[in-house]
């Protein structure tokens, strides 16, 4: 059985003092969660988040990671930097990075490899645009993104990582995929992994749904056979809402 994993993607929100307040409020609320709980604050909040969550069951993730160990990459953060402060996860290839910052399938793959090498669990994001869904391209787009992201990564590492299926049209729009739509595409992702690595690896891999997941719709989505958790944007910025989501 796969243990569900619910992660909060704070995006570019919450200063260190605001992060401290949210995490302090969240810790008792998350204490007996049945799923793995992760918060992914901006880089400047990460060290503080690790300190605050030490000894709790809350994990901490970054929102990006660079593929090189160090060097002339102004504005980037390496895996060893994140590892040294105790970060356990890294969101990779979020659609906002792909859309606004030139992230490609190739850079997603490089970033995922660097994370794995450092012992940081990648949360690799894939998902189609509205035009792609309406053009019946969802399956081809999403499985293509998965194949490219995983290229050259061994099965053992694939079994341990997390993929987030995030239809772009559902992110921050209040428009969620239906339970069935989400389950179907998450199933496509698992089938793609099975094709590449075999069924055992596909069955071990955890796949989240993301896109306007909130206290109201979490239960239906989490009841789906293929969905193993959520990547939560807006609803993760309130400890009370995020707590409701993790206790779906
Ligand atoms: P949302 O964001 O929950 O605000 O739609 C999800 C995400 O982008 O990870």
């Amino acid at each position: 059985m796969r243990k569900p994993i619910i992660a909060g993607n704070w995006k570019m929100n919450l200063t260190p003092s605001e992060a401290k307040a949210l995490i302090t409020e969240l810790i008792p609320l998350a204490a007996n969660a049945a799923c793995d709980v992760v918060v992914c604050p901006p880089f400047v909040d990460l060290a503080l988040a690790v300190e605050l969550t030490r000894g709790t069951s809350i994990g901490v993730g970054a929102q990006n990671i660079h593929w090189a160990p160090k060097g002339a990459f102004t504005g980037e953060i390496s895996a060893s930097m994140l590892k040294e402060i105790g970060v356990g996860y890294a969101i990779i290839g979020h659609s906002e990075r792909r859309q606004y910052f030139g992230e490609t399938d190739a850079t997603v793959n490089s970033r995922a490899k660097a994370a794995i090498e450092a012992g940081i669990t990648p949360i690799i994001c894939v998902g189609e645009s509205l035009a792609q869904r309406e053009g019946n391209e969802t399956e081809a787009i999403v499985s293509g993104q998965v194949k490219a992201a995983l290229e050259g990564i061994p099965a053992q590492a694939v079994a341990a990582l997390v993929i987030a299926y995030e239809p772009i049209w559902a992110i921050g729009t209040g428009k969620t995929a239906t339970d069935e739509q989400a389950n179907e595409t998450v199933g496509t992702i698992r089938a793609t992994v099975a094709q590449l690595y075999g069924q055992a690896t596909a069955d071990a891999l955890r796949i989240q749904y993301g896109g306007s997941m909130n206290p109201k719709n979490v239960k239906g989505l989490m009841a789906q056979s293929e969905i193993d958790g959520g990547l939560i944007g807006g609803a993760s910025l309130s400890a009370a809402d995020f707590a409701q989501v993790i206790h779906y």
Side-chain angles (χ1 to χ4, degrees), residues 2-230:
R2 298 180 293 266
K3 187 177 186 191
I5 175 165
I6 294 186
N9 173 13
W10 293 5
K11 310 192 179 185
M12 196 174 73
N13 293 292
L14 307 186
T15 65
S17 59
E18 291 165 341
K20 185 176 181 186
L22 191 149
I23 290 171
T24 305
E25 192 185 342
L26 181 64
I27 288 170
L29 300 176
N32 53 357
C35 59
D36 285 340
V37 177
V38 180
V39 291
C40 303
F43 285 120
V44 293
D45 300 344
L46 285 173
L48 174 80
V50 170
E51 285 311 312
L52 289 168
T53 56
R54 201 179 294 285
T56 75
S57 57
I58 301 174
V60 175
Q63 296 175 18
N64 197 6
I65 192 166
H66 197 263
W67 53 83
K70 61 179 177 182
F73 300 101
T74 302
E76 292 286 324
I77 303 285
S78 75
S80 61
M81 293 168 187
L82 297 171
K83 190 67 190 173
E84 186 171 314
I85 63 165
V87 167
Y89 299 83
I91 298 173
I92 297 172
H94 190 279
S95 62
E96 287 150 15
R97 302 250 13 125
R98 294 178 190 255
Q99 209 175 336
Y100 307 132
F101 302 100
E103 197 77 63
T104 65
D105 284 342
T107 58
V108 169
N109 177 248
S110 300
R111 293 183 199 277
K113 284 175 175 161
I116 291 164
E117 207 166 298
I120 291 172
T121 303
I123 300 176
I124 299 172
C125 303
V126 297
E128 82 287 0
S129 67
L130 185 58
Q132 290 164 337
R133 175 159 287 268
E134 286 173 346
N136 282 323
E137 294 172 72
T138 299
E139 220 171 282
I141 291 291
V142 168
S143 70
Q145 287 175 335
V146 169
K147 282 181 191 158
L150 300 181
E151 198 177 316
I153 298 177
Q156 204 188 341
V158 171
L161 59 73
V162 178
I163 292 179
Y165 166 56
E166 300 207 302
I168 296 168
W169 47 272
I171 295 176
T173 56
K175 206 171 149 183
T176 331
T178 65
D179 298 345
E180 294 72 23
Q181 274 174 332
N183 197 52
E184 189 187 352
T185 309
V186 170
T188 298
I189 292 170
R190 203 178 303 285
T192 304
V193 173
Q195 203 186 351
L196 295 170
Y197 293 96
Q199 198 61 46
T201 301
D203 286 343
L205 168 80
R206 293 185 290 180
I207 308 176
Q208 300 171 318
Y209 167 78
S212 299
M213 201 167 180
N214 61 40
K216 288 201 188 74
N217 58 30
V218 59
K219 206 177 165 130
L221 288 159
M222 290 302 295
Q224 301 302 307
S225 58
E226 296 290 351
I227 299 176
D228 306 317

